[in-house]
Amino acid sequence: MHSLDSLGSNLRPAFSGRLPTFISDSTTLVDNLRQHGLTACRYSELTTTDPSLLRDVVAIPIDFATTPPGPVIERHFGDSAMLVLPVASFCGTERGARYMLTFLNYIDLSRCIDGVQFWLSQLETAPRLRLVGGGTDVEVVLGDEVNLMSPKGNLAIQRGEWVSVAQYLEVGLVSSPNDQRPHHDMNGTFVAEGFVVAHHRLYADQIRQTADRTWSYLTNLRARNGGAPIVVDIRHSRPVSLTCGSESVLDEVLTFVDPNKREFITEFGFAATQWAVDVDWSINSQFNEAVGGLHIGLGNGVTGAHIDLVAPRATLA
C-alpha cells in the first residue's frame, strides 16, 4: 500500500477535527491500515471495540456477503458520523480499496465542496449547459424539476449522518424515481476515456455476476479495439449509438442493464473538481467515476448493472 501517513489528518475536516476509525470486512486491509498508524477494526470486532472509537468512522465494505446487515450497522453506528467507501458496489477487491484510500490521502475535501457549490449554482441559474472537451460535445437543457443524488454541500459530517464519498466528489442528476424519463434533454456526442460498473446491495447476490460480466465485456471491447474510447451519440437523452473503434455495440451493452431502464440515459454527473492524478482505468473504482469532467450512466444497478461512462476532459463551455 502506498503511504497513508496523512490519511487520518486529511480526513479530519470531515469529522469536525476528529480522527476517524476505519472499519472493513477485510482483515488484510485492516492490518495494513494499522501498520500506517491508523485506528482500524473489522466488522467482526465491533462488539469488543471501545464504543467511543465508533462515533466517527470510515466504512470500507469489500464484500456484501461479509458485511453486516442493515440492522447491525444501525445498532452500532446510528449516532455516528460515517463516511462510506462502497468498494463492494464496484470492484469488491482490496486492491480497489487501497486505490481509493491512496486518493483520499491526497484529496482536498474543501476543494470538493467548492466544486459542488459551483455546479449547484449552475443548475439553479443556467437552464442550458454545454460541455466540451476530449471529443465530447453535449448540450443539456434542464427541466423545471431535477433529481439530485444528495451532493455534500458542506464539509463536516454530523453525528448521525452517513455520507458516501461520491457525495463529495460529484453532483449527479438522475431520472425520476417513478419512471425512467429524465427531467432534462441531452443531445450530442459523448466520448468516454474510461468506465466504471456498479451494483446496489439490494439483490447483490444476483446482480454482482451481471456487473462482473459487464466489466469484462467493456474491458475486452476496448482491448480488441486498441484502447479506443467509447463513443455515445445521444438524442433527446436517449443513447442512439454506442461504438468503440470499428464496433457498434449499443444493443449488446444494453443487455446488461435493467430491462425497464434501457431507453434513456439514467444519470449524468459533474465531477466536483479536476484532479491531476494518474487514473488507473483497470480498476473498477467509484473514484474514477468522478476524477474530472462529466459522466453519464445507463441502468440503475438494482435489477441490472449500472454503467458509468466517463469523459474526464469535458468542461463547461
Side-chain angles (χ1 to χ4, degrees):
M1 183 183 290
H2 292 92
S3 176
L4 299 178
D5 294 340
S6 61
L7 178 59
S9 59
N10 200 40
L11 293 178
R12 272 183 184 268
F15 295 97
S16 300
R18 300 178 293 267
L19 284 172
T21 296
F22 295 81
I23 300 173
S24 181
D25 51 326
S26 165
T27 297
T28 300
L29 184 64
V30 167
D31 289 344
N32 282 332
L33 289 165
R34 288 172 175 169
Q35 289 169 11
H36 284 83
L38 298 164
T39 302
C41 71
R42 295 180 291 274
Y43 284 111
S44 60
E45 298 173 311
L46 290 179
T47 57
T48 58
T49 299
D50 181 349
S52 67
L53 296 176
L54 304 180
R55 301 294 307 281
D56 302 282
V57 299
V58 178
I60 315 170
I62 302 293
D63 186 340
F64 289 132
T66 53
T67 303
V72 174
I73 299 295
E74 180 67 36
R75 183 165 68 249
H76 287 283
F77 303 111
D79 296 323
S80 300
M82 181 188 293
L83 176 65
V84 182
L85 310 187
V87 179
S89 289
F90 292 83
C91 61
T93 67
E94 289 158 352
R95 178 186 176 217
R98 292 194 296 270
Y99 180 73
M100 290 198 75
L101 288 170
T102 298
F103 285 119
L104 278 180
N105 189 54
Y106 152 82
I107 282 176
D108 180 351
L109 290 179
S110 63
R111 184 175 158 193
C112 292
I113 297 301
D114 289 342
V116 167
Q117 293 291 356
F118 168 79
W119 284 114
L120 290 178
S121 68
Q122 292 297 310
L123 295 176
E124 289 177 358
T125 60
R128 183 185 302 269
L129 302 172
R130 184 181 174 208
L131 293 109
V132 299
T136 292
D137 189 342
V138 295
E139 184 175 74
V140 181
V141 178
L142 300 175
D144 294 332
E145 179 183 355
V146 294
N147 293 318
L148 294 175
M149 295 179 64
S150 303
K152 194 79 171 79
N154 51 70
L155 187 55
I157 306 171
Q158 303 302 316
R159 292 278 171 79
E161 182 182 13
W162 298 356
V163 173
S164 169
V165 68
Q167 293 173 246
Y168 284 102
L169 299 178
E170 65 181 86
V171 175
L173 288 83
V174 293
S175 300
S176 166
N178 299 319
D179 57 47
Q180 65 171 314
R181 187 174 294 277
H183 297 295
H184 62 267
D185 188 26
M186 175 183 285
N187 291 275
T189 300
F190 186 92
V191 179
E193 296 181 21
F195 55 86
V196 301
V197 178
H199 65 284
H200 198 277
R201 180 165 187 162
L202 186 66
Y203 310 131
D205 53 337
Q206 298 130 337
I207 301 306
R208 174 63 187 269
Q209 293 182 359
T210 300
D212 288 345
R213 290 198 307 271
T214 307
W215 176 263
S216 295
Y217 177 85
L218 293 173
T219 300
N220 292 334
L221 173 68
R222 292 200 68 194
R224 66 177 178 261
N225 284 281
I230 294 173
V231 181
V232 187
D233 286 325
I234 303 166
R235 298 291 179 269
H236 301 299
S237 299
R238 292 177 170 88
V240 295
S241 76
L242 189 152
T243 60
C244 181
S246 62
E247 297 187 59
S248 180
V249 292
L250 178 62
D251 290 342
E252 290 85 342
V253 170
L254 291 182
T255 63
F256 294 111
V257 305
D258 315 71
N260 62 338
K261 297 288 183 181
R262 293 176 182 168
E263 185 178 355
F264 291 98
I265 301 292
T266 53
E267 174 198 356
F268 73 93
F270 311 101
T273 189
Q274 199 87 18
W275 298 106
V277 297
D278 293 326
V279 181
D280 188 344
W281 293 112
S282 72
I283 299 178
N284 185 20
S285 173
Q286 188 170 42
F287 180 85
N288 290 354
E289 177 182 343
V291 71
L294 177 71
H295 59 271
I296 60 173
L298 301 168
N300 67 7
V302 177
T303 55
H306 176 71
I307 304 169
D308 279 300
L309 302 171
V310 188
R313 290 184 284 172
T315 59
L316 191 63

